Structures are given as C-alpha cells and as structure tokens.
Amino acid sequence: MLGLIIERASGQSYHDYVREHVFVPAGMASSGPSERDSAETGRAIGYTRSAPGGAPGPPAAPHPNVEALPGRSSSAGGGLATARDLLAFDNALRNGKLLAPEWTAWIYSDKSGPPSAGAAAASRGGLGIAGGTEGANAVLESDNRDGYAVIVLAKVDPPIAERAAGKFVRWVRTGGVQSRARKPPR
C-alpha cells in the first residue's frame, strides 16, 4: 500500500522514486529492484530448506530459492542491496542526507510523539531493520551512541541473519570489541 501511495503522491514509479530519493543520495550504487528471471551480475543465489512449492512437510534438502522469489521486487520487498550499500544507507540516514532534521531525529527517537521542529541531530538511538524470505535473510542494526553498525546478509532461510546479528551486537555491547582493541601489540 505504501508503494502505491508513493507512486500517486510523487507521480513516479516506486522504483524510480526510491532510486532518486534514497539510493542516489545515500551513494547506494549497487542497490535496486530485482526481477526473478533476469541474469543480474553479482546476484547471490539463496538456498532454502522449504519444501518446493510451499508444500507442508519436513525440511527438504537445501535447494535454490529461485521459485520462491517474487517476479519483480516491490515496496513489499525483494530488492537487491550489498552490505556496503546498507552501510552507506545507515550513514546517510544518520548524517541527515535522506530526511529533514526533525524526521531524522524522530527515526532515532522512541517515537512517542510526532516529529518536532528544530529537533537535535541523531546522536542517540539506533536503527534495526530485518527482512527475509525463503533462502534470503538480511539485518542492519546500528547504534548512534556506541557508534557501530552490524550488517549480516545470508543466503539461507531466516532467522540465521537475525541470530548472527544478535550475537555480534551482544558482543559489542559487552565490550568484546573494546577489550580486544586494548591489548598491547606484540
């Protein structure tokens, strides 16, 4: 529904709008829509254990997820992105390149009220985005206060990326990164 609202309000296709207002300003050069039957360079093939055709039953042997993919990506999902581009998105959002200052601050707030004019930059809060389908799973989680971003892309069934990201985040929050960094060089 949001994709249709964007198209109606902007007069552009959803994919053109996202490219112009998100991908280009964020520097996401390798991201965009996908079509199941196109031979896109560098596209990873996901593997699923779901039964072919979504049939109920025990997990199947891992097999390519091509038949489970949508014919074309949409506002509901299915687009292509690299880890580098997801980091570029996180940096662009955090640094106010994608939204007005009050909306950027609102994204990183507890969202208990509407955005307020003159809101401060996003020095606190964080971002957590996850998505997936059969044979594909992605997570972007960042924290402005602690200054980290964790991106996990997996070409297997969910929730593997969420589990891995959760472990990395717990490791960072408990000082795993700092304690290693403090060791004197040998």
Side-chain angles (χ1 to χ4, degrees):
M1 183 63 83
L2 180 58
L4 294 174
I5 292 169
I6 289 170
E7 289 183 346
R8 182 65 67 103
S10 70
Q12 294 179 278
S13 75
Y14 170 77
H15 294 298
D16 288 346
Y17 184 88
V18 172
R19 182 180 57 249
E20 183 180 324
H21 295 277
V22 178
F23 295 157
V24 170
M28 299 171 69
S30 298
S31 296
S34 70
E35 292 187 27
R36 179 176 52 197
D37 298 331
S38 72
E40 302 192 34
T41 306
R43 178 192 212 162
I45 303 227
Y47 290 87
T48 182
R49 293 183 58 91
S50 296
H63 58 279
N65 70 340
V66 176
E67 293 304 316
L69 298 175
R72 178 169 165 82
S73 60
S74 69
S75 58
L80 300 175
T82 63
R84 182 178 303 227
D85 278 2
L86 291 174
L87 182 58
F89 171 79
D90 182 62
N91 287 329
L93 184 61
R94 182 178 328 163
N95 293 314
K97 293 181 179 178
L98 300 179
L99 299 170
E102 63 269 15
W103 282 102
T104 299
W106 183 81
I107 287 288
Y108 293 106
S109 74
D110 62 6
K111 297 172 190 65
S112 59
S116 57
S123 61
R124 297 178 34 185
L127 183 66
I129 303 170
T133 189
E134 295 174 27
N137 196 204
V139 173
L140 162 60
E141 189 162 335
S142 65
D143 186 291
N144 291 335
R145 186 190 66 218
D146 293 335
Y148 70 79
V150 172
I151 298 165
V152 179
L153 304 178
K155 54 183 201 167
V156 294
D157 294 329
I160 194 74
E162 288 99 326
R163 288 180 183 159
K167 287 181 181 185
F168 280 117
V169 168
R170 282 190 299 280
W171 185 61
V172 169
R173 286 183 178 161
T174 59
V177 171
Q178 289 87 6
S179 64
R180 284 188 167 275
R182 288 186 191 136
K183 288 184 180 178
R186 294 180 183 208

